[in-house]
Each structure stands twice: as C-alpha cells, then as structure tokens.
Amino acid sequence: MENQQNIGYIMLLTLVATLGGLLFGYDTAVISGAEKSIQAFLIHGLNLSSFAHGATVSSALIGCIIGGAISGLLASRLGRKKSLMVAAMLFFISALGSGQPEFLFFEKGKATMGLLYMFNFYRVIGGIGVGLASAISPMYISEIAPAHIRGRLISFNQFAIIFGMLVVYFVNWSIAKGQSIEWINSIGWRYMFMSEAIPAGLFGILLLFVPETPRYLAMQGHQEEALTILKRINGRDAAKRILNDIQSTIDKAVSSSKVMAYGKKVIIIGILLSVFQQFVGINVALYYAPRIFESMGAAKDASMLQTIVMGLVNVIFTVIAILTVDKWGRKPLLITGSVGMAIGMMAIGTLSFLEVIGISTLVFIIVYTASFMMSWGPICWVLIGEIFPNKIRGKAIAIAVAAQWAANYFISSTYPAMMEFSGGMTYMFYGIMSILSAIFVWKMVPETKGKSLEEMEEVIEKL
C-alpha cells in the first residue's frame, strides 16, 4: 500500500477544499432570491435608480476583485491552507452581517443610506472570501492531485460551486414558499443571507484537519514535510520522484520571481480565459435567474422553482465535464461549449427581438447554461490551476482571478441598464462573445491533459 496512490485520502482533501467552491456558489447565488426584496426595502425605499440596484446586487463582486487580487500574496505568505481559513472566516462574518446589517449602528427595518452602505460593506467582505476561495481552492487541489486525475478533481470544485448555488436556490425557495411578499421583503431575505453561516462554519472547522500542499511546503524549504504528504498521497517511490521534479522547477526558477519572466503569453492566456468565462454572460443567468423567469410570466414561487430546475441541469452537465475532462481533453470541451452557448444566446436574443416569451425561452436558457457547465464553468478553473509554473503560480492565478472578477462585475452591474436599452441586443452580445471564446481557445490555449504541473512548464516555454 505504501507504494500506491491513496485515492481515498486524495478525495477527502479535495472534498474539504471544494467546500470553498460550495461557499463561492452559495454566496454569489444567495442574492438571486433576495435581490427583489433588497430592491423593495433599500432601493425603492430610498428612491434610487436602477443603476444603484445593479451596483448593490453586484457589490460582492468588488470584494471578489479584491480577494482575487490579494489571493496570490496570501497564498504565498500564509500558504494555501491558512488562506482558505481566512476565506471561511470572511464568509461567516458576511453571512451574519448581510442578514442583520443594522447590527449595533442602525434602527432595524428603517431604510437609510448608511444602512445601504453597511449592507454593501458586508457583501464586499463576503466577496473577498469568494475571491480568495475562487483562486485558492483550485490551486490547493491542483497541487495535491496526481496528473492523470487532476482535471477531474479540479472540476469537482466547479461541481461544488454549482451545488452551492443549487442548495441556496432550495434554501431561498423554502424560505419564500407560502409566505407573503411583505414578509419576504422584511424578514425572509435576512434568513437567506444568514443561512450561509452554517456551511462557512463547517468549512473553517474541517480545514483544521487537512495538510498544507506539498508544493508550497517544498517552495518554503520544508522538504521532509512535503515528502511525508507526497508519500501519503502518491506512495513512497512516486513521492521521491515528484519531490525531485518540484525541486528542479524551483531551482530553475530561483533566479527570478517576477511573473512576466516566464513569458507574457501564458499570463495573457490566463487573463483571457478568465475574461471570456464572464463575457459570455453566465452570471447574468445565475444572479438574475428568478427575475428572468418572472419576465417570462412565472409567479415568484414558480420562478424560484424554475431556477431550481436550471440548477439541476447545471449539476448534471458539470458531472459530464468531470467524467470527460481527463479523457477528451480541455480544448475540445471548451470549443464544444462555446458553440452551444452561442446557439443558446443567439436564440434567446432572436426570441427577445420577436417578443416571444414562453417555454422556448426556457429551453434555450437551459441549452446555454448546460453548454457552459460542461465546458467553461469547470475547465477554465482547471486550466488556470494548471498552466502557470510552480514559482509564480500564486501570483499568476491572482492576476487571472482578479481579471475574472473585474469582468464579472462589469457584466453583472451593466445588465439591468443594458436590458432597459434592448434585451435582444444584450443576449446577442453574449452570443458574439461565445463565438470569440471558441476562436481564442482554438488559436491560443495549450492542451494540458495528462501532464504533471512540472511537465507543463516545458509546454509553456514553447508558447
């Protein structure tokens, strides 16, 4: 047994790390059930514009940008494990604060600009946690996973993100089911946010029992500790070989730690992967899902139920990606997904121009989201976790993730205003971005299937 991979242990570490992904999904999607209540309580209560509504719904994304930007610094200084513990703490604080933003300073139930700022502050705190988890959870998994199953294991993080969204859709629906709009607008939305404290607390506790990644330990000079963990993961003989490979990449890179010293092209690829993942419009569908379905004529309860149906589709197609990413490769899945997203968004845009609202719209929303979930959803994170060299992985991933959240904020915050101008043009824009994403992958993205993180450095040098 001491010369065999410990798949059970690898899966256990992966599952704990993916709780960061689950909280990522939970935190970003909890707003979908609460955004109309926030609009009624704070936006309409203060006579503010649709721009203020869009900015408030998307305020967590400011924190996501900050969290993504500092993730490399924290991952390098504190390590991967302790950085995830910081994220868990931020999730917990945000959950309680977003549900009770009046805590200590404001009169409960009375809308004021100060309360609006405080609500957004707590959402930004949660967003920083999301930004950290979005970068460091896949980083942690990539650094403990064997090459032949690494894509599958990192894809579990996307599954956890989608599962977190599905869980919160159920939570939001169960809180709103059978209740009056008045109760939801005054109390129900608070329960939606505070429910996140439960998985956040569990994440923080479980992180106490997992090790630091061997690659981080090796870079810090803790060779024996790194070897011990590698032996438990990969077996004795493989552990020694892997540690030698890690050490050789560290020694080769020790002369410079500047990110751009390893080639600007790989950094640009990482940034463009992140930007395209957002510019295809997926988070519009996730954040505003109940409102989209209500615009199709569904009642509030029914719109949340349809959101759950969409969440189930997302889970199913993410599983497809998990099962195929290490067999088919990264590029074929990305290109196939881009084509499916383009078809879905172009069709939704056409139906919008024709003012056709009904089951056909729902079908194409599902085509679009299913295509994303089997491709760009998980595979983008797989590639971001794989393509950067050991020495700069933390900093490079931070750049890519910060770019992703900046793109996310731009797309999500401009959606209400774009829809007021033209719904058809809005969806057509996302369709065009889907086409461009396919061309980008075809021309620029390297295939990483089956290569160790150290072997990937040779691929990167040839770009």
Side-chain angles (χ1 to χ4, degrees):
M1 287 296 292
E2 65 178 10
N3 266 325
Q4 295 179 357
Q5 286 181 350
N6 190 340
I7 297 298
Y9 183 61
I10 295 167
M11 289 302 301
L12 182 63
L13 298 182
T14 299
L15 289 173
V16 174
T18 56
L19 276 176
L22 185 143
L23 282 157
F24 167 178
Y26 202 109
D27 193 89
T28 54
V30 68
I31 195 71
S32 69
E35 62 98 4
K36 290 200 75 176
S37 297
I38 294 299
Q39 183 183 38
F41 175 46
L42 288 173
I43 306 303
H44 290 167
L46 295 169
N47 296 315
L48 299 176
S49 67
S50 61
F51 176 79
H53 177 225
T56 297
V57 169
S58 306
S59 61
L61 298 178
I62 296 173
C64 294
I65 297 169
I66 297 170
I70 66 173
S71 63
L73 178 64
L74 287 184
S76 298
R77 297 280 178 87
L78 300 180
R80 286 43 163 161
K81 173 183 172 177
K82 289 181 180 177
S83 297
L84 287 175
M85 293 179 76
V86 171
M89 180 183 67
L90 294 175
F91 283 128
F92 190 82
I93 293 170
S94 174
L96 298 181
S98 298
Q100 295 290 341
E102 298 95 341
F103 181 65
L104 293 180
F105 302 109
F106 301 96
E107 180 182 344
K108 188 170 182 178
K110 183 178 180 181
T112 65
M113 287 302 298
L115 186 62
L116 178 65
Y117 295 145
M118 187 57 68
F119 173 79
N120 281 301
F121 170 76
Y122 284 119
R123 289 294 292 154
V124 169
I125 290 293
I128 295 174
V130 171
L132 289 175
S134 66
I136 299 171
S137 286
M139 187 192 306
Y140 183 95
I141 297 168
S142 72
E143 292 187 356
I144 60 101
H148 69 286
I149 56 171
R150 187 177 62 243
R152 191 179 310 166
L153 294 183
I154 300 177
S155 295
F156 272 114
N157 190 61
Q158 176 67 20
F159 177 85
I161 294 170
I162 298 308
F163 187 70
M165 291 177 175
L166 182 60
V167 168
V168 81
Y169 290 154
F170 271 108
V171 170
N172 287 350
W173 175 69
S174 64
I175 290 171
K177 188 176 184 298
Q179 301 290 346
S180 67
I181 295 296
E182 291 74 20
W183 183 87
I184 295 169
N185 288 348
S186 63
I187 298 174
W189 65 271
R190 299 176 185 275
Y191 292 162
M192 295 176 187
F193 286 112
M194 288 191 291
S195 65
E196 187 183 349
I198 297 171
L202 179 64
F203 183 41
I205 292 169
L206 290 176
L207 282 170
L208 296 172
F209 302 99
V210 301
E212 183 53 85
T213 71
R215 283 175 173 82
Y216 176 77
L217 290 170
M219 287 189 288
Q220 299 303 305
H222 304 302
Q223 308 297 329
E224 288 301 318
E225 193 175 347
L227 183 60
T228 298
I229 297 167
L230 283 169
K231 284 179 180 178
R232 189 168 182 187
I233 292 172
N234 298 283
R236 185 186 63 232
D237 293 344
K240 293 177 181 177
R241 175 180 53 78
I242 293 168
L243 184 59
N244 288 335
D245 290 343
I246 294 171
Q247 192 59 53
S248 68
T249 63
I250 295 171
D251 292 342
K252 183 172 67 173
V254 75
S255 62
S256 174
S257 61
K258 293 182 179 180
V259 174
M260 290 300 180
Y262 296 89
K264 294 180 181 179
K265 191 169 184 179
V266 70
I267 304 298
I268 292 170
I269 289 171
I271 290 171
L272 288 177
L273 279 167
S274 294
V275 170
F276 273 119
Q277 192 200 43
Q278 299 306 316
F279 269 56
V280 296
I282 185 60
N283 281 310
V284 165
L286 298 177
Y287 296 149
Y288 294 94
R291 184 177 287 267
I292 291 171
F293 290 129
E294 281 186 62
S295 72
M296 292 163 51
K300 187 172 183 65
D301 281 0
S303 69
M304 287 194 178
L305 194 58
Q306 287 175 323
T307 303
I308 291 172
V309 171
M310 194 171 76
L312 289 170
V313 170
N314 294 347
V315 167
I316 291 167
F317 279 86
T318 301
V319 170
I320 291 174
I322 291 170
L323 295 176
T324 57
V325 62
D326 287 317
K327 294 179 181 178
W328 296 356
R330 285 54 161 158
K331 290 185 71 168
L333 283 175
L334 286 177
I335 293 171
T336 301
S338 292
V339 172
M341 289 188 298
I343 292 170
M345 274 299 181
M346 291 291 188
I348 295 167
T350 302
L351 291 171
S352 182
F353 279 126
L354 298 174
E355 297 184 353
V356 175
I357 298 174
I359 191 67
S360 56
T361 311
L362 176 60
V363 167
F364 283 113
I365 287 177
I366 290 174
V367 167
Y368 166 78
T369 55
S371 298
F372 179 88
M373 295 305 165
M374 66 164 285
S375 59
W376 280 85
I379 309 305
C380 177
W381 295 112
V382 171
L383 284 167
I384 287 174
E386 290 178 330
I387 62 175
F388 300 119
N390 280 328
K391 189 70 176 180
I392 64 163
R393 184 170 298 117
K395 294 177 182 178
I397 288 177
I399 292 170
V401 171
Q404 182 178 101
W405 287 114
N408 189 330
Y409 180 76
F410 174 79
I411 291 295
S412 300
S413 62
T414 57
Y415 174 74
M418 288 174 68
M419 287 297 291
E420 283 185 8
F421 176 73
S422 171
M425 289 295 292
T426 300
Y427 296 122
M428 286 293 184
F429 171 78
Y430 302 142
I432 291 169
M433 290 298 107
S434 298
I435 294 170
L436 292 178
S437 71
I439 297 171
F440 158 68
V441 172
W442 176 41
K443 292 289 188 181
M444 293 186 66
V445 176
E447 181 57 72
T448 60
K449 182 183 73 171
K451 295 180 174 64
S452 72
L453 296 181
E454 289 67 45
E455 289 171 337
M456 272 304 303
E457 300 202 15
E458 297 179 10
V459 176
I460 291 163
E461 289 174 357
K462 297 175 184 177
L463 288 176

